Amino acid sequence: MNEGLPESWEALEPGTPVFASDGARVGEVKEVLAAPEEDIFEGIICKTEHGDRFVDWEIIGSMHERGVYLKIDGAAAAANLPEPKSAPAVMEVGPDEVSESGGAYKRDVWFKRVWNRISGNY
């Protein structure tokens, strides 16, 4: 099979076929989960016959122009991948909540340091 040239996650498009390591077609890319501004790639949502599945970046073997190859064997193994979950809420700080000295940020850092000392997570 000619999957084309190697690609980056940044070039992955919805509809790109996803294959198991044995060549069995598992599904297709539905969504790329990433934070491009921070150069973070989490994985993909794969549309399969068993519904949408989350494919963590760690089990993606390679990405090419015409296919994504997983490190797992067979379509049955792909069916056992977890269903996607919604991302946790992101807290945002508004302009009224931050002083010129960065008060909200300093307070958060202080709380994290105190919690780490209490819990033993240095």
Side-chain angles (χ1 to χ4, degrees), residues 35-112:
E37 63 280 354
E38 296 176 23
D39 196 30
I40 297 174
F41 173 62
E42 294 288 331
I44 62 172
I45 302 296
C46 182
K47 182 178 176 182
T48 75
E49 64 182 35
H50 305 285
D52 293 345
R53 296 290 186 252
F54 171 66
V55 180
D56 190 74
W57 69 271
E58 292 179 320
I59 63 169
I60 295 176
S62 62
M63 293 177 271
H64 298 269
E65 292 174 315
R66 293 180 288 279
V68 174
Y69 287 84
L70 307 181
K71 295 178 184 176
I72 58 175
D73 290 336
N80 293 322
L81 291 169
E83 291 183 18
K85 296 179 182 173
S86 59
V90 176
M91 263 182 48
E92 293 187 24
V93 177
D96 295 337
E97 299 170 314
V98 179
S99 68
E100 288 181 24
S101 63
Y105 173 76
K106 288 180 182 178
R107 183 181 64 242
D108 290 345
V109 170
W110 181 83
F111 277 109
K112 285 179 185 177

